[in-house]
Each structure stands twice: as C-alpha cells, then as structure tokens.
Amino acid sequence: MDKILEIKKLNLGFNTEGGFRQALWDVSLDLNHGEMHALVGESGCGKTITAMSTLRLLPKNAEIKSGEIIYRGEDILNIAPAKLSTIRGAKIALIPQDPMTSLNPLYTVGDQLLEVIKIHQGLSGKAAYEKAIEALKTVQIPSAEERFKSYPHEFSGGMKQRAIIAMALACRAEILIADEPTTALDVTIQAQIMKLLQKIKTETGVSILLITHDLALVSENADFVSVMYAGRIVESARAEDFFKQPRHPYSLALLKSIPSNRGEKLETIQGQPPSIYQEITGCRFHPRCEKCFEKCKTEIPPLIPTAPNHTVACWR
Ligand SMILES: Nc1ncnc2c1ncn2[C@@H]1O[C@H](COP(=O)(O)OP(=O)(O)OP(=O)(O)O)[C@@H](O)[C@H]1O
Ligand SMILES: [Mg+2]
C-alpha cells in the first residue's frame, strides 16, 4: 500500500501562561492511498491538533518542536505559504465538526460550489453548473436543482455536511480529513454520512482520515485504526486485526465501553485522561491501567511491531 500522507514523530505543544506544555509526543501515522484511517481516543487526547497540523491550521500559541508531515514528497511543515494554500482545501480538505464554519452564509450552496469548480476544474457556464449538480447528486442531496439555489441555513445539519463533502470532491481533494463529522448529527444521519464517505472512497479513491471517539463507527468503516492516549499513539493496526486482537490495555478498555454486546453491562474506564498540565512519567496510561507494573511507572514504552502492520506501545 503506498502512503499518501505520513506524519512522522510529531512533537507539538502550547505556550501557556505556565510555560510550554507538550500535547503531542512522537506522533506517527500513515494514511494509505484510498483507505480510511480512523484516529480514535477520548476527548482531549490530541486528535484535532494532529489533524490540524496536517493543514498547518493550529492555534497561535501552538509550537511544533519537531517532526515531519510528508505529502507528495514534501514536508508540509516546511513548505512556502503560497504552495501551502494550493494544498489546503484543495488537495487536503477538512470536514469540520461544525459545518457552518466552512460554508459562507451569504452565498447559495450552488454559487459556492460553482466557485470551487471554476478555480479547481477551470470550468464555467453550463459545464460548471452541470458539475455542481453532479456533485450534489453524488453526495445524495435530494432535488439537487432546487437545492442548488438554497442558502446554507436552509439546509439541515446532515445536508450541510453533504454540501461540504461535495465541495471537497469538486476541488478534487485527494485527502479528506473528517473531524468527528457526525457527532452533531442524530444516529440515522450519522450512519448515512458514514455510508456516503465509504461510497465516495470506493468511487473516487479519496483517502480519508476519520477522527472519532466512536469505535462502533470505526469497526464498520475504517481500514486502519490508530488509538491515541494523552498525546501519544498507543496502538496502530489494520482494522480487522485491531478488532480481532486488540493489544493495548487502553484499546481493550475502549472496546469494552462500546455498546455492541447488548445485554452485557458496559464498563467505563476508571479515572480521567490527564491534561497537558499534568506531568506523567513512564507510560502515560499507567495511572489508569489494570496491568501496570513497576517499569510502566518510570519508562516510556516504545511503539513496537507485534505483527505485520500492528504496533503497540506497552511493556506487557
Ligand atoms: N490553544 C491551546 N492552548 C493550550 N492548550 C490547547 C490549545 N488547543 C488545544 N489544547 C489542548 O491540547 C490537547 C489536545 O486537544 P485536541 O483538541 O486535539 O483534543 P481532541 O482529542 O480533539 O479532543 P475532542 O475529542 O474533545 O475534540 C487538549 O488537552 C487541549 O486542552
Ligand atoms: Mg477534537
């Protein structure tokens, strides 16, 4: 499988009133061509800032200490701003949690689509219009011709998400980064959006980085899974291997807390993930880990392969 995006040993933190606080530690993640890679973990573990790094859309007080993000042979963290703007939104498109932030409320959805088609596909007039309608149909927006004339506020949450996906496709984006694309939506619409992402992945070969804390969504849709805990990747594997044989105690705990086995009592993970303000020695999960022993408290477990395409950071 060739890689379309490689995040390599990313170390990133924030300058806060109390000084520099590291938030990502040696984060590495490969997105394979035409695959869906899910990045999973509890709230605050660093999923969004990992994703935003790939577009260099980070808060002002963020500081990248080291690492590389390789896209088409170049390090995104080092390319010139002019070149970056040809990648951002065009080659790598973001589907944010709140869709209103990427639609302009002053223009109709159709006009916004025409604009990106003009810029990215060099079409105008009837040809552009036809592409726009085709894009709306691809994302299964009903009555595309009427909806073309609607303003974003006339769309439901699920339709706004679809419109953003349509725009990303019209830009001919190669990578979609979907940051919790479904959390604001109800369960049926969530399932439809996931199905749609799955469909366009198959039809267009787009690669998708899916950020979520919902392992049930991941088991049904992803090709690859990376689990993040408190700013570190603790396990990474092909989805079928991950669900067959999860290795890291944190992955096991996350899996036990999904409501898939009806009737069984759900277990929740004891305690809370640490914030970036807490100093932790050794494995970052050790204070919550049932299998913790002395070494875990003092030495950081490296991410090592346990099988082909399966890496785990645990001393057990
Ligand atoms: N501008 C900032 N200054 C200081 N700390 C920040 C800043 N932005 C994010 N953080 C911290 O970085 C950590 C990672 O945040 P991030 O938004 O990536 O989490 P997440 O995994 O996406 O969580 P969620 O599931 O809630 O979206 C958190 O502890 C957060 O508090
Ligand atoms: Mg987030």
Side-chain angles (χ1 to χ4, degrees), residues 12-16 21-24 39-52 58-62 97 179-180 183 211-213 228 230-231 274-277:
L12 177 159
F14 296 99
N15 294 304
T16 70
R21 301 287 173 194
Q22 189 148 347
L24 295 182
L39 180 58
V40 204
E42 282 167 291
S43 182
C45 69
K47 305 180 296 293
T48 295
I49 53 174
T50 302
M52 289 306 188
L58 288 165
K60 278 211 169 60
N61 63 332
Q97 185 165 353
D179 191 356
E180 312 250 9
T183 35
I211 293 174
T212 182
H213 50 251
M228 198 172 215
S275 83
I276 57 171
Y277 300 98

Side-chain angles (χ1 to χ4, degrees), residues 54-57 71-72 74 76 79-93 116 119-121 168 170-175:
T54 66
L55 294 162
R56 255 162 71 186
L57 290 173
Y71 168 72
R72 294 199 166 270
E74 277 187 289
I76 289 185
I79 57 176
K83 180 129 195 226
L84 183 63
S85 62
T86 66
I87 293 176
R88 196 191 277 161
K91 298 290 171 214
I92 306 180
V116 296
I119 296 171
H120 296 285
Q121 299 189 30
C171 293
R172 306 218 166 120
E174 295 181 329
I175 300 173

Side-chain angles (χ1 to χ4, degrees), residues 32-37 169 176 194-208 221-224:
N32 291 330
H33 222 282
E35 288 200 341
M36 186 187 287
H37 191 135
L169 292 177
L176 291 183
M194 285 312 303
K195 236 186 171 159
L196 174 63
L197 287 175
Q198 206 49 274
K199 175 174 163 279
I200 58 176
K201 189 194 85 175
T202 319
E203 285 174 8
T204 68
V206 72
S207 313
I208 303 173
N221 296 289
D223 302 295
F224 224 98

